[in-house]
Amino acid sequence: GQLQQELVVRAFTKAKIPLDVSAEELALIIEAKKLFQTKICISCHQIDPSVAATPTGLAMKAPQFIGDFWGKEREVELNNTPGSLGFVPSGNFVKIKMDEDYVIESIAKPMEKVVKGSIPGMAPAPTTPEEREALAMYIKSLSK
């Protein structure tokens, strides 16, 4: 009853998981956290301010998933050759919102829109649409 609920709230708070997450969403977030490590996202994207960014992540100025970033605007440069594996600078900068659509597209096609100031070097992670959706949910859960 009450004690179990209190322990769950404490565990969620310690794990920095929002309390308004359904059991289904929580299972997805836990699965995606593993994916974030196995798909090597963690090797460039810093997710914990108390754990230093990797040299690779620092060198490439990879966007960090720390603080209050979800739903916020960021400036990206569009690829001059959409669909190419490499990034061809276009000089065309647009503002996008950090949301599920943007994250899912970035995982599938990381060279389409590159965050201003970062070095394009992310390879398309071999992921299923379900994995990309779960990763987006996990990344959203990191925003404070």
Side-chain angles (χ1 to χ4, degrees), residues 91-119:
N92 188 2
F93 292 91
V94 296
K95 287 191 167 55
I96 59 95
K97 194 187 236 180
M98 176 70 164
D99 62 11
E100 195 170 312
D101 292 339
Y102 169 69
V103 170
I104 288 170
E105 180 194 48
S106 295
I107 296 167
K109 297 182 267 184
M111 293 300 162
E112 295 303 294
K113 297 180 180 111
V114 173
V115 173
K116 185 177 185 176
S118 68
I119 295 165

Side-chain angles (χ1 to χ4, degrees), residues 19-34:
L19 292 171
D20 59 350
V21 171
S22 71
E24 234 170 53
E25 287 174 322
L26 180 61
L28 263 180
I29 289 170
I30 291 166
E31 196 52 44
K33 186 176 183 174
K34 290 181 209 155

Side-chain angles (χ1 to χ4, degrees), residues 27-108:
L28 263 180
I29 289 170
I30 291 166
E31 196 52 44
K33 186 176 183 174
K34 290 181 209 155
L35 277 174
F36 198 84
Q37 291 161 345
T38 58
K39 300 287 180 184
I40 67 164
C41 317
I42 194 84
S43 60
C44 293
H45 296 284
Q46 187 182 6
I47 57 170
D48 184 341
S50 65
V51 178
T54 63
T56 310
L58 284 172
M60 294 172 68
K61 298 181 178 74
Q64 301 170 329
F65 303 132
I66 293 173
D68 181 16
F69 59 84
W70 195 262
K72 303 287 186 255
E73 251 185 15
R74 54 179 54 194
E75 207 171 348
V76 296
E77 185 173 6
L78 301 177
N79 191 342
N80 203 39
T81 314
S84 66
L85 286 176
F87 181 75
V88 182
S90 64
N92 188 2
F93 292 91
V94 296
K95 287 191 167 55
I96 59 95
K97 194 187 236 180
M98 176 70 164
D99 62 11
E100 195 170 312
D101 292 339
Y102 169 69
V103 170
I104 288 170
E105 180 194 48
S106 295
I107 296 167

Side-chain angles (χ1 to χ4, degrees), residues 32 35 100 103-109 125-139:
L35 277 174
E100 195 170 312
V103 170
I104 288 170
E105 180 194 48
S106 295
I107 296 167
K109 297 182 267 184
T127 50
T128 65
E130 293 76 22
E131 287 173 331
R132 289 191 287 275
E133 207 170 296
L135 281 164
M137 197 180 291
Y138 171 63
I139 290 166

